[in-house]
Amino acid sequence: TPTLTGTAGKYENLYIYDGLVLLGATTSDGTGAWTFTVPSNMPLVNGVHSFTVKDINFNLIHYFYIIMLKSPD
């Protein structure tokens, strides 16, 4: 389960998406730092994921590409 981190404005409500799917929300702290761990009830499949972080007005704050690879059996 990946954890995303970044910075935004102070005490901003942020919404994290995987493509068009809303994964959840977090709030930045007094320095603007934020962190978000993808919930365990939303397991990610192997492949490329494009995570976006948007503020309450849907302004793009961050954009991530993560490639999930299955470990060999």
Side-chain angles (χ1 to χ4, degrees):
T1 300
T3 296
L4 308 175
T5 60
T7 56
K10 296 178 182 179
Y11 305 109
E12 276 196 85
N13 293 320
L14 302 169
Y15 302 91
I16 294 80
Y17 294 84
D18 180 6
L20 298 176
V21 176
L22 176 64
L23 297 177
T26 190
T27 303
S28 60
D29 66 17
T31 67
W34 60 267
T35 185
F36 178 82
T37 300
V38 175
S40 60
N41 65 340
M42 301 182 92
L44 300 175
V45 297
N46 294 329
V48 177
H49 294 269
S50 57
F51 296 106
T52 54
V53 180
K54 297 181 179 183
D55 67 13
I56 198 162
N57 296 315
F58 296 101
N59 295 313
L60 182 64
I61 303 297
H62 285 282
Y63 193 76
F64 299 89
Y65 278 114
I66 295 181
I67 300 173
M68 306 283 291
L69 299 175
K70 181 180 178 188
S71 60
D73 293 333

